[in-house]
PDB file of all heavy atoms in Angstrom:
ATOM      1  N   LYS A 308     -90.208 -77.295   9.648  1.00  0.00           N
ATOM      2  CA  LYS A 308     -90.662 -76.195  10.408  1.00  0.00           C
ATOM      3  C   LYS A 308     -92.212 -76.200  10.505  1.00  0.00           C
ATOM      4  O   LYS A 308     -92.827 -76.013  11.544  1.00  0.00           O
ATOM      5  CB  LYS A 308     -90.212 -74.872   9.825  1.00  0.00           C
ATOM      6  CG  LYS A 308     -88.760 -74.596   9.927  1.00  0.00           C
ATOM      7  CD  LYS A 308     -88.557 -73.409  10.858  1.00  0.00           C
ATOM      8  CE  LYS A 308     -87.093 -73.025  10.998  1.00  0.00           C
ATOM      9  NZ  LYS A 308     -86.457 -73.501  12.135  1.00  0.00           N
ATOM     10  N   VAL A 309     -92.853 -76.527   9.341  1.00  0.00           N
ATOM     11  CA  VAL A 309     -94.308 -76.513   9.263  1.00  0.00           C
ATOM     12  C   VAL A 309     -94.840 -77.599  10.204  1.00  0.00           C
ATOM     13  O   VAL A 309     -95.753 -77.398  11.012  1.00  0.00           O
ATOM     14  CB  VAL A 309     -94.808 -76.788   7.845  1.00  0.00           C
ATOM     15  CG1 VAL A 309     -96.295 -77.037   7.815  1.00  0.00           C
ATOM     16  CG2 VAL A 309     -94.461 -75.600   6.928  1.00  0.00           C
ATOM     17  N   LEU A 310     -94.298 -78.827  10.105  1.00  0.00           N
ATOM     18  CA  LEU A 310     -94.726 -79.922  10.939  1.00  0.00           C
ATOM     19  C   LEU A 310     -94.536 -79.684  12.423  1.00  0.00           C
ATOM     20  O   LEU A 310     -95.402 -80.006  13.247  1.00  0.00           O
ATOM     21  CB  LEU A 310     -94.037 -81.211  10.513  1.00  0.00           C
ATOM     22  CG  LEU A 310     -94.617 -82.513  11.033  1.00  0.00           C
ATOM     23  CD1 LEU A 310     -96.063 -82.673  10.397  1.00  0.00           C
ATOM     24  CD2 LEU A 310     -93.786 -83.689  10.672  1.00  0.00           C
ATOM     25  N   ARG A 311     -93.385 -79.044  12.740  1.00  0.00           N
ATOM     26  CA  ARG A 311     -93.111 -78.807  14.187  1.00  0.00           C
ATOM     27  C   ARG A 311     -94.122 -77.892  14.850  1.00  0.00           C
ATOM     28  O   ARG A 311     -94.416 -78.132  16.045  1.00  0.00           O
ATOM     29  CB  ARG A 311     -91.721 -78.128  14.161  1.00  0.00           C
ATOM     30  CG  ARG A 311     -91.355 -77.414  15.461  1.00  0.00           C
ATOM     31  CD  ARG A 311     -90.027 -76.872  15.330  1.00  0.00           C
ATOM     32  NE  ARG A 311     -89.062 -77.913  15.487  1.00  0.00           N
ATOM     33  CZ  ARG A 311     -88.442 -78.151  16.663  1.00  0.00           C
ATOM     34  NH1 ARG A 311     -88.618 -77.363  17.648  1.00  0.00           N
ATOM     35  NH2 ARG A 311     -87.620 -79.162  16.719  1.00  0.00           N
ATOM     36  N   TYR A 312     -94.709 -76.928  14.144  1.00  0.00           N
ATOM     37  CA  TYR A 312     -95.676 -76.080  14.758  1.00  0.00           C
ATOM     38  C   TYR A 312     -97.081 -76.465  14.580  1.00  0.00           C
ATOM     39  O   TYR A 312     -98.013 -75.721  14.912  1.00  0.00           O
ATOM     40  CB  TYR A 312     -95.405 -74.622  14.218  1.00  0.00           C
ATOM     41  CG  TYR A 312     -94.069 -74.105  14.660  1.00  0.00           C
ATOM     42  CD1 TYR A 312     -93.054 -73.891  13.765  1.00  0.00           C
ATOM     43  CD2 TYR A 312     -93.800 -73.962  16.057  1.00  0.00           C
ATOM     44  CE1 TYR A 312     -91.746 -73.494  14.225  1.00  0.00           C
ATOM     45  CE2 TYR A 312     -92.554 -73.493  16.473  1.00  0.00           C
ATOM     46  CZ  TYR A 312     -91.524 -73.315  15.562  1.00  0.00           C
ATOM     47  OH  TYR A 312     -90.289 -72.873  15.936  1.00  0.00           O
ATOM     48  N   GLN A 313     -97.319 -77.715  14.125  1.00  0.00           N
ATOM     49  CA  GLN A 313     -98.708 -78.183  14.069  1.00  0.00           C
ATOM     50  C   GLN A 313     -99.179 -78.588  15.475  1.00  0.00           C
ATOM     51  O   GLN A 313     -98.408 -79.038  16.316  1.00  0.00           O
ATOM     52  CB  GLN A 313     -98.698 -79.516  13.276  1.00  0.00           C
ATOM     53  CG  GLN A 313     -98.373 -79.375  11.817  1.00  0.00           C
ATOM     54  CD  GLN A 313     -99.316 -78.505  11.075  1.00  0.00           C
ATOM     55  OE1 GLN A 313    -100.542 -78.625  11.222  1.00  0.00           O
ATOM     56  NE2 GLN A 313     -98.779 -77.570  10.298  1.00  0.00           N
ATOM     57  N   PRO A 314    -100.507 -78.353  15.719  1.00  0.00           N
ATOM     58  CA  PRO A 314    -101.038 -78.935  16.988  1.00  0.00           C
ATOM     59  C   PRO A 314    -100.956 -80.452  16.895  1.00  0.00           C
ATOM     60  O   PRO A 314    -100.819 -81.037  15.801  1.00  0.00           O
ATOM     61  CB  PRO A 314    -102.492 -78.453  16.970  1.00  0.00           C
ATOM     62  CG  PRO A 314    -102.744 -77.979  15.606  1.00  0.00           C
ATOM     63  CD  PRO A 314    -101.466 -77.648  14.916  1.00  0.00           C
ATOM     64  N   ARG A 315    -101.022 -81.073  18.051  1.00  0.00           N
ATOM     65  CA  ARG A 315    -100.792 -82.504  18.112  1.00  0.00           C
ATOM     66  C   ARG A 315    -101.719 -83.341  17.126  1.00  0.00           C
ATOM     67  O   ARG A 315    -101.217 -84.222  16.414  1.00  0.00           O
ATOM     68  CB  ARG A 315    -101.009 -83.035  19.565  1.00  0.00           C
ATOM     69  CG  ARG A 315    -100.812 -84.558  19.599  1.00  0.00           C
ATOM     70  CD  ARG A 315    -101.071 -85.093  20.922  1.00  0.00           C
ATOM     71  NE  ARG A 315    -101.346 -86.515  20.766  1.00  0.00           N
ATOM     72  CZ  ARG A 315    -101.246 -87.426  21.706  1.00  0.00           C
ATOM     73  NH1 ARG A 315    -100.671 -87.039  22.859  1.00  0.00           N
ATOM     74  NH2 ARG A 315    -101.528 -88.645  21.487  1.00  0.00           N
ATOM     75  N   PHE A 316    -103.003 -82.986  17.082  1.00  0.00           N
ATOM     76  CA  PHE A 316    -103.887 -83.782  16.239  1.00  0.00           C
ATOM     77  C   PHE A 316    -103.525 -83.747  14.761  1.00  0.00           C
ATOM     78  O   PHE A 316    -103.534 -84.819  14.070  1.00  0.00           O
ATOM     79  CB  PHE A 316    -105.393 -83.423  16.492  1.00  0.00           C
ATOM     80  CG  PHE A 316    -105.770 -82.153  15.816  1.00  0.00           C
ATOM     81  CD1 PHE A 316    -106.341 -82.142  14.531  1.00  0.00           C
ATOM     82  CD2 PHE A 316    -105.634 -80.942  16.492  1.00  0.00           C
ATOM     83  CE1 PHE A 316    -106.727 -80.924  13.904  1.00  0.00           C
ATOM     84  CE2 PHE A 316    -106.017 -79.756  15.866  1.00  0.00           C
ATOM     85  CZ  PHE A 316    -106.511 -79.717  14.600  1.00  0.00           C
ATOM     86  N   SER A 317    -103.135 -82.564  14.254  1.00  0.00           N
ATOM     87  CA  SER A 317    -102.809 -82.568  12.832  1.00  0.00           C
ATOM     88  C   SER A 317    -101.407 -83.146  12.594  1.00  0.00           C
ATOM     89  O   SER A 317    -101.169 -83.793  11.555  1.00  0.00           O
ATOM     90  CB  SER A 317    -102.925 -81.167  12.243  1.00  0.00           C
ATOM     91  OG  SER A 317    -102.173 -80.265  12.942  1.00  0.00           O
ATOM     92  N   LYS A 318    -100.473 -83.025  13.583  1.00  0.00           N
ATOM     93  CA  LYS A 318     -99.217 -83.652  13.431  1.00  0.00           C
ATOM     94  C   LYS A 318     -99.384 -85.187  13.316  1.00  0.00           C
ATOM     95  O   LYS A 318     -98.843 -85.851  12.464  1.00  0.00           O
ATOM     96  CB  LYS A 318     -98.315 -83.295  14.628  1.00  0.00           C
ATOM     97  CG  LYS A 318     -96.848 -83.826  14.481  1.00  0.00           C
ATOM     98  CD  LYS A 318     -95.996 -83.264  15.638  1.00  0.00           C
ATOM     99  CE  LYS A 318     -94.598 -83.861  15.474  1.00  0.00           C
ATOM    100  NZ  LYS A 318     -93.737 -83.498  16.582  1.00  0.00           N
ATOM    101  N   GLU A 319    -100.258 -85.664  14.235  1.00  0.00           N
ATOM    102  CA  GLU A 319    -100.482 -87.142  14.244  1.00  0.00           C
ATOM    103  C   GLU A 319    -101.097 -87.576  12.923  1.00  0.00           C
ATOM    104  O   GLU A 319    -100.683 -88.590  12.335  1.00  0.00           O
ATOM    105  CB  GLU A 319    -101.415 -87.473  15.392  1.00  0.00           C
ATOM    106  CG  GLU A 319    -101.685 -88.957  15.493  1.00  0.00           C
ATOM    107  CD  GLU A 319    -102.500 -89.368  16.710  1.00  0.00           C
ATOM    108  OE1 GLU A 319    -102.639 -88.513  17.629  1.00  0.00           O
ATOM    109  OE2 GLU A 319    -102.937 -90.531  16.795  1.00  0.00           O
ATOM    110  N   PHE A 320    -102.095 -86.761  12.436  1.00  0.00           N
ATOM    111  CA  PHE A 320    -102.755 -87.132  11.189  1.00  0.00           C
ATOM    112  C   PHE A 320    -101.741 -87.190  10.049  1.00  0.00           C
ATOM    113  O   PHE A 320    -101.642 -88.137   9.241  1.00  0.00           O
ATOM    114  CB  PHE A 320    -103.884 -86.141  10.878  1.00  0.00           C
ATOM    115  CG  PHE A 320    -104.452 -86.316   9.444  1.00  0.00           C
ATOM    116  CD1 PHE A 320    -105.329 -87.341   9.225  1.00  0.00           C
ATOM    117  CD2 PHE A 320    -104.024 -85.526   8.411  1.00  0.00           C
ATOM    118  CE1 PHE A 320    -105.851 -87.606   7.917  1.00  0.00           C
ATOM    119  CE2 PHE A 320    -104.532 -85.720   7.162  1.00  0.00           C
ATOM    120  CZ  PHE A 320    -105.389 -86.739   6.912  1.00  0.00           C
ATOM    121  N   LEU A 321    -100.947 -86.140   9.942  1.00  0.00           N
ATOM    122  CA  LEU A 321     -99.951 -86.054   8.833  1.00  0.00           C
ATOM    123  C   LEU A 321     -98.871 -87.162   8.905  1.00  0.00           C
ATOM    124  O   LEU A 321     -98.541 -87.734   7.855  1.00  0.00           O
ATOM    125  CB  LEU A 321     -99.213 -84.643   8.867  1.00  0.00           C
ATOM    126  CG  LEU A 321    -100.140 -83.447   8.534  1.00  0.00           C
ATOM    127  CD1 LEU A 321     -99.423 -82.143   8.831  1.00  0.00           C
ATOM    128  CD2 LEU A 321    -100.515 -83.502   7.033  1.00  0.00           C
ATOM    129  N   LEU A 322     -98.440 -87.414  10.113  1.00  0.00           N
ATOM    130  CA  LEU A 322     -97.403 -88.498  10.262  1.00  0.00           C
ATOM    131  C   LEU A 322     -97.992 -89.825   9.835  1.00  0.00           C
ATOM    132  O   LEU A 322     -97.390 -90.604   9.130  1.00  0.00           O
ATOM    133  CB  LEU A 322     -96.841 -88.489  11.682  1.00  0.00           C
ATOM    134  CG  LEU A 322     -95.865 -87.402  12.015  1.00  0.00           C
ATOM    135  CD1 LEU A 322     -95.547 -87.372  13.533  1.00  0.00           C
ATOM    136  CD2 LEU A 322     -94.573 -87.552  11.228  1.00  0.00           C
ATOM    137  N   ARG A 323     -99.217 -90.089  10.405  1.00  0.00           N
ATOM    138  CA  ARG A 323     -99.842 -91.395  10.069  1.00  0.00           C
ATOM    139  C   ARG A 323    -100.076 -91.532   8.593  1.00  0.00           C
ATOM    140  O   ARG A 323     -99.763 -92.613   8.003  1.00  0.00           O
ATOM    141  CB  ARG A 323    -101.240 -91.432  10.763  1.00  0.00           C
ATOM    142  CG  ARG A 323    -101.179 -91.923  12.102  1.00  0.00           C
ATOM    143  CD  ARG A 323    -102.601 -92.165  12.627  1.00  0.00           C
ATOM    144  NE  ARG A 323    -102.452 -92.945  13.818  1.00  0.00           N
ATOM    145  CZ  ARG A 323    -102.329 -94.244  13.882  1.00  0.00           C
ATOM    146  NH1 ARG A 323    -102.346 -94.923  12.825  1.00  0.00           N
ATOM    147  NH2 ARG A 323    -102.129 -94.864  14.961  1.00  0.00           N
ATOM    148  N   PHE A 324    -100.542 -90.470   7.989  1.00  0.00           N
ATOM    149  CA  PHE A 324    -100.809 -90.498   6.512  1.00  0.00           C
ATOM    150  C   PHE A 324     -99.532 -90.737   5.786  1.00  0.00           C
ATOM    151  O   PHE A 324     -99.416 -91.630   4.914  1.00  0.00           O
ATOM    152  CB  PHE A 324    -101.456 -89.220   6.072  1.00  0.00           C
ATOM    153  CG  PHE A 324    -101.677 -89.171   4.586  1.00  0.00           C
ATOM    154  CD1 PHE A 324    -102.683 -89.872   3.989  1.00  0.00           C
ATOM    155  CD2 PHE A 324    -100.799 -88.565   3.727  1.00  0.00           C
ATOM    156  CE1 PHE A 324    -102.861 -89.892   2.653  1.00  0.00           C
ATOM    157  CE2 PHE A 324    -100.866 -88.580   2.345  1.00  0.00           C
ATOM    158  CZ  PHE A 324    -102.000 -89.257   1.793  1.00  0.00           C
ATOM    159  N   ALA A 325     -98.450 -89.989   6.172  1.00  0.00           N
ATOM    160  CA  ALA A 325     -97.214 -90.126   5.422  1.00  0.00           C
ATOM    161  C   ALA A 325     -96.645 -91.527   5.526  1.00  0.00           C
ATOM    162  O   ALA A 325     -96.194 -92.154   4.581  1.00  0.00           O
ATOM    163  CB  ALA A 325     -96.209 -89.109   5.919  1.00  0.00           C
ATOM    164  N   ILE A 326     -96.765 -92.075   6.756  1.00  0.00           N
ATOM    165  CA  ILE A 326     -96.094 -93.361   6.999  1.00  0.00           C
ATOM    166  C   ILE A 326     -96.979 -94.500   6.477  1.00  0.00           C
ATOM    167  O   ILE A 326     -96.507 -95.443   5.833  1.00  0.00           O
ATOM    168  CB  ILE A 326     -95.809 -93.570   8.500  1.00  0.00           C
ATOM    169  CG1 ILE A 326     -94.785 -92.510   8.969  1.00  0.00           C
ATOM    170  CG2 ILE A 326     -95.267 -94.915   8.790  1.00  0.00           C
ATOM    171  CD1 ILE A 326     -94.685 -92.324  10.478  1.00  0.00           C
ATOM    172  N   GLU A 327     -98.342 -94.467   6.755  1.00  0.00           N
ATOM    173  CA  GLU A 327     -99.180 -95.595   6.301  1.00  0.00           C
ATOM    174  C   GLU A 327     -99.520 -95.550   4.860  1.00  0.00           C
ATOM    175  O   GLU A 327     -99.452 -96.560   4.177  1.00  0.00           O
ATOM    176  CB  GLU A 327    -100.445 -95.547   7.148  1.00  0.00           C
ATOM    177  CG  GLU A 327    -100.417 -96.273   8.403  1.00  0.00           C
ATOM    178  CD  GLU A 327    -101.664 -96.222   9.221  1.00  0.00           C
ATOM    179  OE1 GLU A 327    -102.405 -95.279   9.125  1.00  0.00           O
ATOM    180  OE2 GLU A 327    -101.906 -97.197   9.991  1.00  0.00           O
ATOM    181  N   GLN A 328     -99.870 -94.354   4.392  1.00  0.00           N
ATOM    182  CA  GLN A 328    -100.398 -94.267   2.965  1.00  0.00           C
ATOM    183  C   GLN A 328     -99.250 -93.833   2.074  1.00  0.00           C
ATOM    184  O   GLN A 328     -99.098 -94.324   0.958  1.00  0.00           O
ATOM    185  CB  GLN A 328    -101.567 -93.332   2.880  1.00  0.00           C
ATOM    186  CG  GLN A 328    -102.752 -93.674   3.763  1.00  0.00           C
ATOM    187  CD  GLN A 328    -103.226 -95.121   3.515  1.00  0.00           C
ATOM    188  OE1 GLN A 328    -103.213 -95.644   2.369  1.00  0.00           O
ATOM    189  NE2 GLN A 328    -103.568 -95.840   4.572  1.00  0.00           N
ATOM    190  N   GLY A 329     -98.531 -92.728   2.488  1.00  0.00           N
ATOM    191  CA  GLY A 329     -97.550 -92.138   1.682  1.00  0.00           C
ATOM    192  C   GLY A 329     -96.476 -93.132   1.119  1.00  0.00           C
ATOM    193  O   GLY A 329     -96.140 -93.156  -0.044  1.00  0.00           O
TER     194      GLY A 329
END
Side-chain angles (χ1 to χ4, degrees):
K308 289 247 184 257
V309 170
L310 195 64
R311 163 179 282 261
Y312 294 111
Q313 295 298 314
R315 178 182 158 156
F316 74 93
S317 54
K318 185 174 176 183
E319 181 173 349
F320 170 78
L321 290 169
L322 284 169
R323 275 189 165 277
F324 176 79
I326 297 166
E327 270 179 331
Q328 303 305 322

